[in-house]
Amino acid sequence: MRDNDTGNRLSSACWQAAQRAQHGDSAAFHECFFAAYSRVRDPMLGGEDLEVMIETIQQLLHSVGDQVFATMLAKESPPIRCGVSWFLPREDLTSAPKTRAIIAATQDYDFELERSIRRNR
């Protein structure tokens, strides 16, 4: 999944899937998580789309709770889990110990977005 020039497709897909996940659609978690993973694989520098995705994933975690979020995240492959972690700063995980533990146990990947950010500092 690649983003378009305006950066809206992936953030929109993430948001729409998160809305369905909050209402019990378990497949929607994967769609939301895969959109997050796809976005960090795109070297297009951030902006509004990244802010929307951060808010969306944080809202999903808070609305379904740590146990459900962690369970669904644990079902994903390590690259997808790592991609999702990009949108969950450690300080936001103080009240989500199960999610924090899954992310801590996940291998780090050097995604294209991170390399692009380093190049442009």
Side-chain angles (χ1 to χ4, degrees):
M1 196 184 271
R2 298 270 304 166
D3 216 345
N4 59 16
D5 291 339
T6 61
N8 293 327
R9 190 175 60 132
L10 290 174
S11 61
S12 177
C14 182
W15 184 85
Q16 290 173 9
Q19 299 310 300
R20 293 193 321 274
Q22 289 176 33
H23 291 96
D25 182 346
S26 60
F29 281 92
H30 173 71
E31 292 176 36
C32 178
F33 295 160
F34 192 77
Y37 164 75
S38 296
R39 181 58 183 93
V40 296
R41 296 291 319 272
D42 189 335
M44 184 179 89
L45 291 177
E48 190 174 313
D49 69 312
L50 291 178
E51 291 176 20
V52 168
M53 291 181 86
I54 289 168
E55 290 175 21
T56 296
I57 292 174
Q58 290 174 346
Q59 176 62 37
L60 178 58
L61 169 60
H62 294 296
S63 68
V64 300
D66 184 36
Q67 177 66 48
V68 171
F69 191 93
T71 298
M72 299 309 287
L73 187 60
K75 293 179 180 182
E76 300 292 340
S77 66
I80 292 175
R81 288 194 307 260
C82 186
V84 171
S85 75
W86 200 94
F87 298 96
L88 290 169
R90 293 195 194 281
E91 60 271 8
D92 292 340
L93 294 174
T94 56
S95 62
K98 292 177 185 339
T99 299
R100 187 177 61 238
I102 288 170
I103 289 172
T106 300
Q107 175 184 347
D108 284 333
Y109 291 84
D110 190 23
F111 291 116
E112 290 83 348
L113 178 60
E114 294 167 333
R115 290 194 300 265
S116 181
I117 290 170
R118 283 195 307 271
R119 236 186 341 264
N120 288 292
R121 282 189 182 158

